[in-house]
């Protein structure tokens, strides 16, 4: 059993759909194949734009119903192309695949996959072409898994069907030390641990969705990231940290541009204040990332600064303005000119000088750091968006990530 996933750029045009069908047909000669497909090219962006032309805040249930149509087109076309090649194939949408999610629209998590129908199709000799990104609630409503969610569909199916192997086909040859479209000298990693991949995905390496990386780690799925345009290339394999052959302190540098910074100024310093502010944000379903609370000379007030996704900025600002007036805070500041540059590596915790070297290098390049946060295997800096790509390149150079480990 093999799950293969093809992203939007891989199925952007009729010619590319035929190319994808030939990759699937070849695999289907050896294995039972479930191919998960994304919407063609920028279809999802286009559908989102259409909805926004009709309403500033489209109803989330209807938005999911709309966005899911992108994948319904591409799976049918891929199945048609496979049948044309003589590989018997059926396309299945989420409801037909038996993918049940939570009843939360636009970022639903998969709760169950009933694989009966898929197994019957495979047993009857069909290749299954599965719609990525979509799910359905136990009530039968259409949901989506969040942008980039087809990766999650693929890894979840690999876990439910086996576990079986999962190949994520995209437009680059695997996971690199940095986005190869930003750092031309980025090096392809032959292998990466689940933990490092998860951390890189969380901080902007969009080559694999964080939820997919999380599921791969949980179920130990041998996920391979490969290139649709060079299908014989081995790509990058995800493995357990204990199986890794190569040790390296820093694996990669990532960039996340979907960031904004907010501050609530001079909030009274008393118990319960942070709870009140962050409950207001949670009430509007805004997730908060880095949080800094700075004290004033006048010890009775604090400033609280944090980052959110740029797409959540309006909701966050509204929540914060409400909290500011309730708590007697002085006001709210918003800054959209931010991006997050991070380094990720399993060896970071053993190397206390790494953070200092990263900050000094950014300083020498004239790049101002606005905020910092760290985890055991990550160091992140918020910088101005205009400096972001240069920051990624200087940090990549600093750790000689272009050289073989
Ligand atoms: P797909 O449509 O196949 O899901 P995505 O655009 O979501 O493709 O992901 C692939 C892109 O991820 C690449 O084109 C590359 O620009 C970007 N990327 C970011 N960081 C990395 C990285 N460390 N390694 C490889 N690709 C990366
Ligand atoms: N089509 C969806 C998106 O553009 C899902 C995906 O491509 O993974 O986000
Ligand atoms: Mg993607």
């Amino acid at each position: 059993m093999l799950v293969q996933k093809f992203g939007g750029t891989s199925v952007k045009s009729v010619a590319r759909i035929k190319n994808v069908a030939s990759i699937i047909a070849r695999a289907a000669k050896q294995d039972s194949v479930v191919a998960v497909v994304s919407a063609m090219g920028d279809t999802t962006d286009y559908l989102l734009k259409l909805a926004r032309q009709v309403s500033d805040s489209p109803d989330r249930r209807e938005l999911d119903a709309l966005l899911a149509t992108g994948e319904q087109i591409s799976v049918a076309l891929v199945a048609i192309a496979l049948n044309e090649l003589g590989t018997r194939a059926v396309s299945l949408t989420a409801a037909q695949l038996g993918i049940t999610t939570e009843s939360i629209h636009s970022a639903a998590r998969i709760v169950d996959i009933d694989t009966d129908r898929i197994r019957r199709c495979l047993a009857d000799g069909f290749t299954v072409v599965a719609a990525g990104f979509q799910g359905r609630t136990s009530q039968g409503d259409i949901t989506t898994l969040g942008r980039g969610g087809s990766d999650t569909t693929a890894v979840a199916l690999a876990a439910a069907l086996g576990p079986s192997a999962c190949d994520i086909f995209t437009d680059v040859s695997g996971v690199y030390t940095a986005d190869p479209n930003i750092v031309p000298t980025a090096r392809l990693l032959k292998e990466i641990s689940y933990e490092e991949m998860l951390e890189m995905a969380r901080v902007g390496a969009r080559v694999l969705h964080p939820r997919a990386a999380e599921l791969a780690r949980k179920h130990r799925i041998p996920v391979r990231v490969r290139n649709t345009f060079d299908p014989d290339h081995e790509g990058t394999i995800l493995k357990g940290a204990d199986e890794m052959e190569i040790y390296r302190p820093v694996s990669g540098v990532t960039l996340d541009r979907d960031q904004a910074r907010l501050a609530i100024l001079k909030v009274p310093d008393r118990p319960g204040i942070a709870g009140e502010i962050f409950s207001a944000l949670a009430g509007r379903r805004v997730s908060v990332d880095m949080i800094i609370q700075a004290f004033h000379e006048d010890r009775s007030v604090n400033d609280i600064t944090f980052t959110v996704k740029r797409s959540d900025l309006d909701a966050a600002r509204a929540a914060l303005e409400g909290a500011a007036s309730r708590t007697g805070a002085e006001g709210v500041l918003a800054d959209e000119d931010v991006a997050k540059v991070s380094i990720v590596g399993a060896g970071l915790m053993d190397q206390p000088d790494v953070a200092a070297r990263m900050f000094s290098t950014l300083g020498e390049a004239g790049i101002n750091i606005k905020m910092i946060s760290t985890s055991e295997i990550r160091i992140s800096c918020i910088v101005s968006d205009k400096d972001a790509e240069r920051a990624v390149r200087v940090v990549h150079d600093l750790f000689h990530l272009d050289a073989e480990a």
Side-chain angles (χ1 to χ4, degrees):
M1 192 100 72
L2 174 66
V3 176
Q4 295 182 311
K5 180 255 168 179
F6 298 90
T9 40
S10 305
V11 291
K12 194 175 166 184
S13 61
V14 168
R16 289 194 181 175
I17 284 179
K18 288 182 178 174
N19 171 52
V20 161
S22 72
I23 297 173
I24 301 170
R26 193 160 65 147
K29 291 207 167 81
Q30 285 175 16
D31 294 300
S32 292
V33 176
V34 176
V36 176
V37 181
S38 292
M40 294 172 72
D42 299 331
T43 302
T44 311
D45 290 326
Y46 166 72
L47 293 170
L48 257 178
K49 215 159 72 193
L50 269 185
R52 298 244 158 85
Q53 283 168 15
V54 178
S55 160
D56 283 341
S57 53
D59 182 85
R60 298 172 87 102
R61 179 188 182 277
E62 303 312 326
L63 192 59
D64 274 356
L66 177 69
L67 295 190
T69 61
E71 272 69 13
Q72 198 168 333
I73 294 172
S74 54
V75 282
L77 287 172
V78 170
I80 291 170
L82 279 165
N83 284 313
E84 186 67 21
L85 291 176
T87 302
R88 290 197 305 153
V90 280
S91 67
L92 298 176
T93 61
Q96 295 168 320
L97 289 161
I99 299 180
T100 306
T101 69
E102 306 165 321
S103 304
I104 294 172
H105 288 289
S106 83
R109 291 161 71 101
I110 295 173
V111 290
D112 182 55
I113 302 184
D114 175 355
T115 56
D116 279 0
R117 172 107 187 240
I118 304 176
R119 288 183 197 279
R120 261 186 284 131
C121 290
L122 295 173
D124 290 343
F126 286 95
T127 290
V128 170
V129 187
F133 178 54
Q134 49 177 257
R136 63 124 209 223
T137 67
S138 52
Q139 308 298 313
D141 281 337
I142 297 170
T143 53
T144 61
L145 312 182
R147 297 305 307 272
S150 296
D151 295 337
T152 310
T153 307
V155 179
L157 283 172
L161 288 166
S164 60
C166 181
D167 286 355
I168 303 284
F169 282 92
T170 185
D171 58 354
V172 292
S173 289
V175 182
Y176 286 74
T177 49
D179 185 338
N181 291 311
I182 295 176
V183 183
T185 56
R187 189 168 46 81
L188 181 78
L189 301 168
K190 287 199 176 72
E191 51 178 35
I192 187 165
S193 71
Y194 293 117
E195 288 72 19
E196 288 167 300
M197 186 69 246
L198 177 55
E199 200 76 9
M200 278 179 72
R202 279 183 182 142
V203 287
R206 68 174 192 284
V207 65
L208 191 69
H209 192 279
R211 180 83 181 117
E214 201 178 313
L215 284 173
R217 176 179 67 168
K218 181 168 168 206
H219 298 282
R220 300 264 138 186
I221 307 293
V223 170
R224 202 177 266 285
V225 180
R226 332 182 55 160
N227 193 338
T228 318
F229 310 111
D230 186 7
D232 293 323
H233 195 297
E234 289 194 340
T236 303
I237 179 108
L238 271 61
K239 325 180 144 170
D242 46 338
E243 304 160 57
M244 294 277 292
E245 284 155 28
I246 303 161
Y247 171 83
R248 48 184 182 240
V250 179
S251 298
V253 188
T254 63
L255 173 59
D256 185 352
R257 293 201 120 121
D258 182 18
Q259 294 278 305
R261 177 166 73 146
L262 280 157
I264 177 162
L265 304 173
K266 295 200 177 166
V267 199
D269 189 16
R270 59 174 161 77
I273 280 286
E276 175 155 0
I277 293 169
F278 290 100
S279 301
L281 290 160
R284 290 180 186 253
R285 301 172 29 126
V286 173
S287 308
V288 173
D289 188 16
M290 301 179 179
I291 304 173
I292 293 174
Q293 177 164 319
F295 62 89
H296 275 269
E297 235 170 303
D298 164 10
R299 292 295 173 91
S300 66
V301 290
N302 291 318
D303 291 343
I304 301 178
T305 308
F306 55 87
T307 57
V308 295
K309 281 181 174 296
R310 199 170 300 179
S311 40
D312 284 341
L313 180 61
D314 290 341
R317 195 182 349 216
L320 223 50
E321 275 160 3
S325 66
R326 281 194 302 279
T327 55
E330 192 180 272
V332 175
L333 276 182
D335 178 8
E336 282 189 74
D337 175 29
V338 293
K340 181 160 67 181
V341 175
S342 310
I343 58 173
V344 172
L348 282 185
M349 55 187 156
D350 312 328
Q351 316 243 337
D353 64 324
V354 166
R357 288 167 60 208
M358 178 177 177
F359 305 154
S360 303
T361 298
L362 290 172
E364 282 154 21
I367 297 169
N368 190 36
I369 302 172
K370 300 187 183 200
M371 285 169 93
I372 295 169
S373 81
T374 62
S375 80
E376 271 190 352
I377 63 168
R378 175 183 53 80
I379 301 167
S380 299
C381 297
I382 295 288
V383 300
S384 171
D385 190 64
K386 69 174 176 6
D387 293 331
E389 292 197 357
R390 198 160 54 88
V392 171
R393 286 191 285 267
V394 297
V395 172
H396 192 268
D397 277 354
L398 166 70
F399 295 109
H400 306 291
L401 297 180
D402 55 337
E404 200 65 48

